[in-house]
Amino acid sequence: MVATPGLLRNGPRPLHASGAQLRSAVMKTSPDAVDFAQQLLEAVSGAGSPADADRRVLQAIAEACGGTQACVWRPATPHWTLVAAYPRPLAAPPEAVAEALDRHAPVSLAGWSAAPLPQDPHALQPDLLAVEAAVDPQRLGELTGVAHAARGVARSLGRGERLDELLGISLAWSASSDTRALLETMAESATRIFDADRATIFLWDRAAKKLVGRPALGMPDNELTIPEDAGVVGKVVQSGETLRVCPREIEKYIDRATDAKTGYRTESLLCVPLDAPGGDRLGAFELINKRGQGGAPGEFTDDDAAGLAEFAYLAAAAVSSAQQVEDLLEQRDTLVDQAASGVRMLGDSPPIVALRSTIDRVAESDLSVLVLGENGTGKEVVAQSLHFRSKRRSAPLLAVNCAAIAESLLESELFGHEAGAFTDARESRAGKFELADGGTLLLDEIGDMSLAGQAKLLRVLEDKTVVRVGGAEERRVDVRVVAATNRDLSERVHEKSFREDLFYRLCVVTLELPPLRERGEDVVLLAEHFLRSFGQSRGRKPPKLSAAAKKRLVAHNWPGNVRELRNLMERVAYLTDGPTIGPEDLSIVDRGSAGAAGGGGLDDYFDGSLTDATYAFQRAYIDHCVDHSRGNVAAAARKLGLHRSNLYRKMRQLGLDDGATMDEGGTTDEHG
């Protein structure tokens, strides 16, 4: 970051871009980016020395990031070199600097944020900008790009107006995640800046040993594919050297076959390598036919070559970033598809078939959905199915257990809080509504929410805005709400313990899940599914259920529904080594019809010895407490009068779920 004498002599100059379209694109990228760039230019131009210019730029970046210190470090052997610092030198680089160098991307770590500066073509590694503040990596990357582009604009002021707009262009590029559209935008900008007739960016497909050029006017799909070592572009890609061809030498370098296909005649060209900030060669940037005077062919100059090299350097960084974003989006879509394919309401019983049909009909809408059903019937799976079959599938799906959070903390959990809003609120934090923006929020056990919480929730659902605890700013959110409960909300409305207006706001669509005891042969289908799943995780062939075992499964009342069945099959899969599971392997505690309602008596445990009955009761009672606590083992332990670690140990002794999928915040298994 060094101010050039030319810039200091010229004094501050206004930042401008050619055309309202470019300015509009920059403003869409970041509303304050142009103002920040102008601030940097004025700071540098008003400096009295290169060192003073460095300090002013770092001061502006530190203030923009909300920090008090900024610096630039250069990797060197054996020690790093401090290039510049504000307000005072540092003895050693912060940890974030090395991390940003390793990742080749902005990072925030241990109170510092760092990002690589665009790399000098002659340097082995980029310089690193660091700010003593926790800055969003995307924001820091944008500010770093603005600072670098402003410096580039400052250096080029003496060369004419055409490079003045590189800052605005690079900002517009930084927002693009569509490589094809980005290449077309770059080509249009290059032809205007360098007064050329056409421009094409060739990307190197190393695996296929070819170069793919876009845009290629006159070619199918606006694309030209050539061998990786063919023609001028191939020479530039292989050698890394700029190649400029004037009209009188053009016949030595080009193949007129391409001109014959397009009906366009090449008279002059300029081609530079397209190297990413990390040094990887992405391809080449080619300009065709410099416009001359009076209709005569023009000739690209040394100044054009230097300018295009700088242009290509910024372009390569944008292309590399866009490709990374495209790769991440592709990976995200793949993961979403995998998650969606794994979310299924298994079963062939009429209630489940009807439920799947209803989910398919309402998933694409934004209607609020109320999911009713006993504990363990799969309410969370319904929420997942609605989410992954909707247009929101790539956005977050979050869940909040309204019964497991203290009333005093529920508002903060849902709506967030500002620093200092209450004791221990040391920093601002977004709530679940903000975090789920664009996606889906499952409010589980909505029937246990306090009346005060219900009133605040109703306001958010109606206004689509949240206000953090201790704050005044209204933040718009776009969230689809799926509410779930095992309680009779109509009865709670009658009892005045649930708001009638909220009830009608939530139950636009109501989905009622049948208990497992009413699903007939679905019990066997689900049991076999769980056995296959646990068999794969154990690395063994899943055991088969005997006819007698199937009969016993169907006859059982399943007070814990699908969750109880899943836990039973997990125990069987890990504790049974034989190829077949008989009824004696199931160890089902049959609590009868009273068990479904939470009853049960001594008759339930009369089968076997006293030890067997004690064993069965302990298993049943711990299962009951964990289910009643919605998988919150800490809450179940308190109810049982045990320490949480003792409860885990007892569960393992009894062959129950060892808590691997449970924590203090609840459980999230396949059938919720």
Side-chain angles (χ1 to χ4, degrees):
M1 294 186 182
V2 179
T4 63
L7 179 59
L8 296 178
R9 287 196 303 269
N10 293 335
R13 296 184 54 175
L15 176 69
H16 59 276
S18 58
Q21 183 177 3
L22 176 60
R23 182 175 296 278
S24 174
V26 174
M27 294 304 292
K28 288 178 182 178
T29 302
S30 176
D32 64 342
V34 173
D35 291 338
F36 180 66
Q38 182 67 58
Q39 177 188 353
L40 287 182
L41 286 175
E42 292 177 356
V44 172
S45 63
S49 67
D52 186 28
D54 286 344
R55 287 174 55 83
R56 291 181 180 221
V57 170
L58 292 176
Q59 179 181 1
I61 293 176
E63 291 174 353
C65 295
T68 58
Q69 181 136 327
C71 55
V72 175
W73 289 88
R74 178 170 298 155
T77 303
H79 303 295
W80 290 69
T81 300
L82 181 64
V83 176
Y86 168 83
R88 65 187 67 86
L90 297 177
E95 186 179 355
V97 169
E99 188 71 13
L101 181 65
D102 291 340
R103 294 189 191 180
H104 300 290
V107 298
S108 185
L109 182 67
W112 280 82
S113 299
L117 290 166
Q119 189 174 346
D120 186 317
H122 302 292
L124 295 177
Q125 298 187 91
D127 289 347
L128 283 300
L129 169 68
V131 183
E132 190 179 19
V135 186
D136 178 77
Q138 181 178 351
R139 173 62 172 162
L140 181 60
E142 181 182 67
L143 294 178
T144 302
V146 170
H148 175 80
R151 182 163 61 105
V153 171
R155 290 199 308 267
S156 67
L157 286 174
R159 299 202 302 267
E161 290 294 324
R162 70 183 185 186
L163 296 184
D164 235 10
E165 61 182 88
L166 274 182
L167 172 62
I169 292 173
S170 63
L171 286 172
W173 292 346
S174 67
S176 178
S177 59
D178 183 337
T179 302
R180 182 183 291 264
L182 178 63
L183 296 180
E184 292 178 356
T185 301
M186 289 176 172
E188 186 276 329
S189 300
T191 56
R192 184 183 66 252
I193 292 175
F194 297 100
D195 201 21
D197 198 35
R198 292 187 179 183
T200 301
I201 299 95
F202 287 86
L203 298 183
W204 192 2
D205 186 341
R206 295 174 185 265
K209 297 184 177 181
K210 64 182 181 180
L211 297 165
V212 181
R214 302 186 186 96
L217 301 179
M219 300 298 292
D221 199 27
N222 206 24
E223 181 178 293
L224 174 63
T225 301
I226 62 174
E228 64 181 0
D229 57 355
V232 170
V233 177
K235 288 183 175 65
V236 170
V237 169
Q238 299 300 323
S239 68
E241 300 293 334
T242 297
L243 187 55
R244 176 163 54 95
V245 182
C246 63
R248 57 185 173 274
E249 298 177 330
I250 195 68
E251 299 299 335
K252 300 178 184 178
Y253 288 93
I254 69 167
D255 181 359
R256 291 293 181 188
T258 302
D259 284 0
K261 292 179 182 179
T262 62
Y264 179 81
R265 185 173 180 82
T266 302
E267 300 290 351
S268 62
L269 59 83
L270 174 62
C271 189
V272 299
L274 194 67
D275 292 341
D280 292 336
R281 183 145 303 140
L282 303 181
F285 202 127
E286 182 182 58
L287 294 178
I288 302 176
N289 289 357
K290 176 78 171 183
R291 297 189 181 105
Q293 299 293 327
E299 186 172 327
F300 291 104
T301 65
D302 289 339
D303 192 38
D304 290 328
L308 183 60
E310 186 172 13
F311 188 95
Y313 184 68
L314 295 175
V319 170
S320 179
S321 176
Q323 289 177 331
Q324 291 176 12
V325 171
E326 284 186 336
D327 290 343
L328 290 173
L329 291 175
E330 184 177 348
Q331 294 174 21
R332 181 202 65 185
D333 291 342
T334 299
L335 292 174
V336 169
D337 290 341
Q338 291 174 352
S341 65
V343 177
R344 295 174 292 166
M345 291 296 298
L346 296 177
D348 297 323
S349 61
I352 293 299
V353 172
L355 178 64
R356 283 199 298 260
S357 176
T358 304
I359 289 174
D360 289 339
R361 288 199 304 273
V362 303
E364 281 296 335
S365 71
D366 280 335
L367 299 175
S368 296
V369 178
L370 178 62
V371 185
L372 304 176
E374 296 177 8
N375 285 340
T377 50
K379 295 187 286 294
E380 187 163 340
V381 177
V382 171
Q384 293 171 350
S385 298
L386 289 167
H387 178 75
F388 286 119
R389 284 167 174 76
S390 74
K391 60 187 177 182
R392 299 174 178 269
R393 64 199 309 264
S394 297
L397 166 63
L398 301 180
V400 177
N401 188 333
C402 301
I405 302 174
E407 181 181 347
S408 59
L409 299 178
L410 183 60
E411 186 178 355
S412 170
E413 184 72 17
L414 291 177
F415 314 129
H417 63 257
E418 298 292 354
F422 51 83
T423 304
D424 293 333
R426 297 184 178 87
E427 58 185 20
S428 298
R429 195 189 73 170
K432 288 295 194 294
F433 269 94
E434 285 185 67
L435 296 174
D437 189 30
T440 305
L441 180 61
L442 170 62
L443 298 177
D444 202 3
E445 299 300 343
I446 189 72
D448 294 315
M449 182 180 286
S450 68
L451 287 172
Q454 293 174 32
K456 293 167 183 174
L457 173 61
L458 179 63
R459 177 182 176 277
V460 174
L461 295 178
E462 291 180 343
D463 298 344
K464 305 291 186 185
T465 60
V466 296
V467 178
R468 294 181 179 179
V469 177
E473 178 185 355
E474 291 188 344
R475 303 169 187 265
R476 290 202 63 80
V477 292
D478 173 24
V479 177
R480 182 184 193 174
V481 171
V482 177
T485 183
N486 61 358
R487 295 181 177 272
D488 186 343
L489 288 189
S490 299
E491 181 64 26
R492 290 182 68 80
V493 169
H494 180 71
E495 296 170 352
K496 306 296 183 183
S497 59
F498 199 86
R499 293 179 62 106
E500 185 176 13
D501 47 4
L502 178 59
F503 172 72
Y504 289 116
R505 186 69 180 78
L506 291 172
C507 67
V508 178
V509 176
T510 300
L511 301 177
E512 189 159 0
L513 276 66
L516 186 57
R517 59 185 172 274
E518 297 177 3
R519 293 175 58 178
E521 291 296 323
D522 280 358
V523 176
V524 175
L525 186 151
L526 288 167
E528 292 175 338
H529 166 74
F530 290 135
L531 285 175
R532 286 193 299 271
S533 176
F534 293 127
Q536 290 174 357
S537 64
R538 188 182 173 188
R540 61 166 287 189
K541 184 177 180 180
K544 300 291 185 181
L545 291 166
S546 68
K550 292 179 181 180
K551 183 177 179 180
R552 186 171 186 187
L553 289 175
V554 173
H556 183 52
N557 198 50
W558 298 113
N561 292 292
V562 180
R563 183 183 292 114
E564 180 185 355
L565 175 62
R566 180 186 185 277
N567 289 343
L568 174 61
M569 291 302 103
E570 186 173 15
R571 289 197 298 272
V572 169
Y574 281 89
L575 298 179
T576 304
D577 294 322
T580 304
I581 296 173
E584 68 279 1
D585 298 316
L586 296 178
S587 302
I588 296 176
V589 178
D590 192 349
R591 287 180 273 177
S593 59
L602 291 176
D603 289 344
D604 299 333
Y605 306 101
F606 274 176
D607 184 16
S609 66
L610 179 61
T611 300
D612 292 337
T614 303
Y615 178 85
F617 175 78
Q618 289 183 354
R619 285 166 51 88
Y621 190 56
I622 290 176
D623 258 343
H624 168 77
C625 290
V626 172
D627 282 345
H628 187 74
S629 301
R630 298 291 294 155
N632 189 323
V633 178
R638 288 194 295 270
K639 181 177 179 64
L640 290 163
L642 298 173
H643 189 275
R644 185 176 59 174
S645 61
N646 293 336
L647 177 55
Y648 277 126
R649 183 165 54 253
K650 188 67 175 177
M651 291 171 71
R652 286 192 291 270
Q653 291 173 352
L654 295 172
L656 291 167
D657 188 333
D658 65 0
T661 60
M662 293 182 287
D663 56 29
E664 294 191 40
T667 182
T668 302
D669 60 31
E670 183 169 357
H671 281 75

